[in-house]
Amino acid sequence: MKTVQPSLFCFVFLLTLLNLGCKENKKESQTDMETENTSMESDHIAKSTFGEMPDGTTVDKYTLKNAMGMEVDVITYGGIITRWTAPDKNGKYDDVVLGFDDLKSYLDGNPYFGALIGRYGNRIAKGKFSLDGQTYTLATNDGENHLHGGLKGFDKVIWAATPKSTDDGAILELTYTSVDGEEGYPGNLDVKVTYTLTGDNQLEVLYEAVTDKPTVVNLTQHSYFNLSGDFTQSVLDHELFLDADAYLPVDGGLIPTGELRPVSGTPFDFTTSKVMGKEIGADDAQLKLGKGYDHCWVLNEEESGFGLAASAYHPGTGRVLEVYTDEPGIQFYSGNFLDGTLPAQKGGVYGQRAGFCLETQHYPDSPNQPSFPSVRLNPGETYKTKTTFKLTTK
Ligand code: GLA
């Protein structure tokens, strides 16, 4: 995360904060925005209705397209990417992210497929942390711990959307105001996430936020990839590279112990590309705790800013996913908790390891671990971080 000094963005968000007390005003401005959206549509972005929330709120779907033929569907519920097509080595485009066909399936129990995660990606131990001597108690939704923003994280709220078309791609800006005390967090937090589909099959995800009280923020994107395009297949045949010489071992609740452990000589070494399944069944205490890989790797590029953090390759189709970020960590999750109970998008069910996640982030439980890079955001600062997913073939 980079924080920058007050900017125009910050000023605009502060103005929004002034509106917080007045729900009616907020509703009006969202309606205006929706009307404007429709008129701003063009060839590279289209809006349709995805479904209706139990309270009658419409959930929209935006399809971002580029000149190459890539399409990314994003819904306003959770900012979820429900479909994302990518070419194979023969130029055939296919959906490469796990998702559901209808809103009801997302509402009935989504294991964070495609979702925006906030205010805090991954776990905060016992749902507690302190800032300036005050202890905050968060919602606990993963045993005694807080996971991915709590009971109603950013993956379960409706975002306001502003679409823009570009010459060779499209942009979708999503905004959401998380009020002071939501899920236990301090401060009104205004969040903006911008999805930019470029002409060369890159999806940039830019996260920005401002607060009116000191708080903690750690946003991420939780797409589950299966580059084969066949969601009945496990992803264990994909090759993975992680630019990380160390990872964070965890305890039984998947909270980092605080140690930065070298990957060398362990199943966690992906510094040279390796098939995901090669050592996932190894007799390793950390793999047993995670039921596979479910850990945060410490990226080597931390000091030098934005760079390649990870890449995955599916030999059968030739598809390659590259992940670039300015974040210090990446959670590689090998879909261990998928258990064959959820309906798959193209038929069948999602079995264990039908998808993998590469969640760029600050380290889990950072608010309680002073040795980890800080996740604190102060009033007057802007949280700003970018991750780019690039899909190519080889
Ligand atoms: C993250 C967590 C996992 C799990 C998944 C979603 O990757 O680290 O433990 O919660 O999200 O199921």
Side-chain angles (χ1 to χ4, degrees):
M1 171 182 67
K2 304 265 181 289
T3 54
V4 295
Q5 290 312 306
S7 59
L8 181 61
F9 165 68
C10 181
F11 177 62
V12 171
F13 265 164
L14 286 174
L15 283 183
T16 314
L17 283 178
L18 292 175
N19 257 339
L20 271 178
C22 184
K23 282 199 172 149
E24 283 311 308
N25 279 356
K26 189 125 209 278
K27 260 192 195 155
E28 267 174 39
S29 73
Q30 284 193 351
T31 311
D32 287 351
M33 210 184 257
E34 273 159 25
T35 315
E36 198 186 338
N37 288 351
T38 315
S39 62
M40 285 170 69
E41 284 176 25
S42 80
D43 283 343
H44 288 143
I45 194 154
K47 179 183 175 184
S48 56
T49 298
F50 188 70
E52 204 176 83
M53 295 293 286
D55 70 357
T57 306
T58 300
V59 173
D60 295 321
K61 179 175 87 179
Y62 289 87
T63 300
L64 288 68
K65 305 173 195 179
N66 71 6
M68 304 263 289
M70 179 173 279
E71 294 191 2
V72 184
D73 286 348
V74 180
I75 58 172
T76 50
Y77 175 75
I80 293 173
I81 296 175
T82 58
R83 190 179 67 104
W84 185 346
T85 69
D88 67 8
K89 59 189 171 194
N90 301 315
K92 180 177 167 281
Y93 278 74
D94 206 351
D95 186 9
V96 294
V97 291
L98 276 48
F100 298 119
D101 289 326
D102 52 33
L103 181 62
K104 186 176 179 302
S105 302
Y106 284 101
L107 299 178
D108 283 352
N110 175 21
Y112 306 98
F113 284 164
L116 292 178
I117 305 293
R119 289 190 196 188
Y120 202 92
N122 215 275
R123 295 174 177 79
I124 296 179
K126 299 190 169 60
K128 286 199 190 303
F129 68 96
S130 298
L131 272 185
D132 303 328
Q134 187 165 344
T135 298
Y136 295 95
T137 301
L138 306 172
T140 49
N141 58 328
D142 188 53
E144 60 176 8
N145 299 323
H146 175 89
L147 174 67
H148 292 334
L151 295 167
K152 191 176 178 189
F154 293 178
D155 58 299
K156 296 182 185 67
V157 303
I158 303 289
W159 294 69
T162 307
K164 289 179 192 163
S165 198
T166 63
D167 286 347
D168 54 4
I171 298 174
L172 187 67
E173 280 180 10
L174 296 173
T175 55
Y176 173 68
T177 297
S178 171
V179 297
D180 190 7
E182 191 171 290
E183 300 296 310
Y185 289 101
N188 293 298
L189 188 78
D190 271 308
V191 187
K192 180 162 87 171
V193 177
T194 308
Y195 287 119
T196 301
L197 177 62
T198 68
D200 58 352
N201 286 350
Q202 302 194 47
L203 186 73
E204 291 175 10
V205 190
L206 177 67
Y207 306 86
E208 295 165 277
V210 293
T211 183
D212 60 359
K213 277 187 197 164
T215 191
V216 296
V217 191
N218 188 28
L219 307 180
T220 192
Q221 221 293 334
H222 209 303
S223 283
Y224 286 63
F225 294 91
N226 185 329
L227 300 178
S228 77
D230 178 354
F231 300 157
T232 63
Q233 299 296 310
S234 127
V235 291
L236 293 185
D237 60 346
H238 289 51
E239 292 172 18
L240 179 68
F241 159 77
L242 294 174
D243 186 21
D245 292 338
Y247 79 105
L248 304 176
V250 292
D251 67 15
L254 301 189
I255 300 291
T257 59
E259 178 191 351
L260 274 60
R261 186 176 292 175
V263 296
S264 179
T266 78
F268 290 78
D269 190 351
F270 288 95
T271 53
T272 303
S273 198
K274 172 175 88 184
V275 170
M276 286 179 191
K278 187 171 178 203
E279 291 164 297
I280 201 168
D283 185 14
D284 177 281
Q286 282 297 317
L287 282 173
K288 286 186 181 142
L289 287 171
K291 297 193 167 50
Y293 295 106
D294 191 358
H295 297 74
C296 185
W297 271 252
V298 176
L299 291 170
N300 293 337
E301 297 302 321
E302 189 186 346
E303 298 310 324
S304 50
F306 192 77
L308 181 71
S311 68
Y313 167 61
H314 180 250
T317 59
R319 289 194 180 95
V320 176
L321 167 71
E322 291 176 338
V323 183
Y324 298 81
T325 192
D326 52 21
E327 286 288 340
I330 193 163
Q331 185 88 7
F332 165 43
Y333 169 58
S334 51
N336 314 315
F337 298 132
L338 297 176
D339 60 4
T341 55
L342 297 171
Q345 221 158 11
K346 303 176 210 173
V349 291
Y350 290 121
Q352 199 192 24
R353 312 214 167 108
F356 67 91
C357 305
L358 291 168
E359 304 153 65
T360 55
Q361 58 186 28
H362 270 53
Y363 309 161
D365 198 36
S366 296
N368 294 310
Q369 309 230 14
S371 64
F372 288 175
S374 172
V375 289
R376 179 182 176 127
L377 182 70
N378 293 309
E381 296 172 341
T382 299
Y383 170 96
K384 194 168 185 180
T385 171
K386 188 169 95 169
T387 292
T388 297
F389 300 92
K390 182 175 185 182
L391 283 148
T392 58
T393 57
K394 71 175 184 189

